[in-house]
Amino acid sequence: MRIHVVNPNTTRSMTLKIGAAAKAAASPGVEVTAVNPDFGPPSIEGYFDEAFSVPGLIEEIGKAGDADAFVVACFDDTGLDAARCATEAPVIGIGEAAFHLASLIAAKFSVVTTLSRSIAPIEHNLAKYGLSVRCARVRAAEVPVLALEEPGSGARRIIEREIERALAEDGAEAIVLGCAGMTDLARDLERKAGVPVLDGVACAVSLAESLVRLRLRTSKRRTYAPPLAKPYAGEFKRFSPK
């Protein structure tokens, strides 16, 4: 089994961290690869960055057409629906995966993400997935994504304090980390918080494995049908569906 993890931003250090977390979560014998596009934004913080990251994501999926499953390693589930149109293999977003697994182990969970501009996209996805009622609150630690890559930034402690507030004020019984760049913090934060702390990368890899083992693939009836063949213009010509 091969699971291909795509970080839709271009920050290689984050991709390496995501890849390590994905491999740690995978079962023995499962091959995990982690990549990022070579064009697009260095981080995805809000709708504008998201729009410019989707072409690179789709291109990376196209390069690995023989993978058994794909993981989109951006917590906003950037380009997830488009990615499901691009392949018959299962495609799992780390946000959707973490929300579903959190709902299986806690009556209420809170999300701790990076910046306030990410709150609305996350809330939108929770509503889309039918899980808004299970989420106590989406919180922002006001830590830029790239600060997670900077030693000495204090990001870990800031996130830790936001988790403490979520437990004290929200009635949360579990915490979902709202950024792929937080993946290496999950176990340490869980020990300090005393409640389950879910990393979407690990959740998505586990769900991807399950779908492959059950021989379940993305439905191509209507919503996720392949794109219709047509010529795209200008810089997007190379993305024209065949």
Side-chain angles (χ1 to χ4, degrees), residues 115-144:
L115 299 177
S116 293
R117 66 174 58 216
S118 295
I119 292 176
I122 293 170
E123 290 178 338
H124 172 82
N125 284 346
L126 283 161
K128 175 182 174 182
Y129 304 147
L131 290 170
S132 293
V133 70
R134 304 298 296 277
C135 181
R137 184 173 174 181
V138 180
R139 291 175 163 269
E142 302 304 346
V143 174

Side-chain angles (χ1 to χ4, degrees), residues 2 4 36-39 56 58-66 70:
R2 185 160 77 91
H4 197 63
N36 58 262
D38 58 10
F39 64 97
I58 299 302
E59 184 168 82
E60 292 301 325
I61 287 176
K63 290 178 183 177
D66 59 342
F70 294 89

Side-chain angles (χ1 to χ4, degrees), residues 8-10 37-42 52-53:
N9 72 44
T10 60
D38 58 10
F39 64 97
F52 286 95
S53 68

Side-chain angles (χ1 to χ4, degrees), residues 1-232:
M1 183 191 305
R2 185 160 77 91
I3 298 176
H4 197 63
V5 181
V6 183
N7 169 21
N9 72 44
T10 60
T11 300
R12 183 60 183 162
S13 59
M14 192 175 299
T15 303
L16 293 173
K17 182 165 62 175
I18 289 168
K23 290 173 184 177
S27 298
V30 174
E31 179 186 352
V32 175
T33 54
V35 300
N36 58 262
D38 58 10
F39 64 97
S43 60
I44 300 171
E45 295 167 300
Y47 290 124
F48 194 83
D49 291 337
E50 182 176 342
F52 286 95
S53 68
V54 175
L57 165 68
I58 299 302
E59 184 168 82
E60 292 301 325
I61 287 176
K63 290 178 183 177
D66 59 342
D68 296 297
F70 294 89
V71 169
V72 178
C74 175
F75 195 80
D76 292 356
D77 291 341
T78 295
L80 179 58
D81 289 327
R84 285 175 174 160
C85 295
T87 177
E88 291 186 358
V91 185
I92 308 296
I94 66 171
E96 185 173 17
F99 298 149
H100 279 293
L101 290 192
S103 73
L104 298 178
I105 59 173
K108 288 283 186 178
F109 60 87
S110 284
V111 179
V112 175
T113 190
T114 49
L115 299 177
S116 293
R117 66 174 58 216
S118 295
I119 292 176
I122 293 170
E123 290 178 338
H124 172 82
N125 284 346
L126 283 161
K128 175 182 174 182
Y129 304 147
L131 290 170
S132 293
V133 70
R134 304 298 296 277
C135 181
R137 184 173 174 181
V138 180
R139 291 175 163 269
E142 302 304 346
V143 174
V145 171
L146 295 180
L148 298 169
E149 301 298 295
E150 298 172 2
S153 68
R156 180 192 295 257
R157 180 55 187 152
I158 295 170
I159 294 166
E160 189 178 312
R161 286 198 297 266
E162 200 61 39
I163 290 174
E164 291 169 358
R165 284 191 282 267
L167 298 177
E169 300 170 12
D170 303 348
E173 300 167 355
I175 300 295
V176 171
L177 297 179
C179 178
M182 297 179 185
T183 185
D184 59 328
L185 306 179
R187 296 288 69 80
D188 186 47
L189 292 173
E190 182 173 83
R191 283 192 293 270
K192 292 180 178 176
V195 298
V197 174
L198 289 88
D199 158 44
V201 174
C203 293
V205 168
S206 297
L207 287 179
E209 279 191 32
S210 297
L211 290 174
V212 174
R213 289 200 174 93
L214 291 170
R215 299 182 182 180
L216 293 172
R217 301 176 68 79
T218 299
S219 172
K220 292 299 161 181
R221 181 176 174 84
R222 298 179 180 167
T223 307
Y224 295 133
L228 297 174
K230 66 187 76 170
Y232 288 3

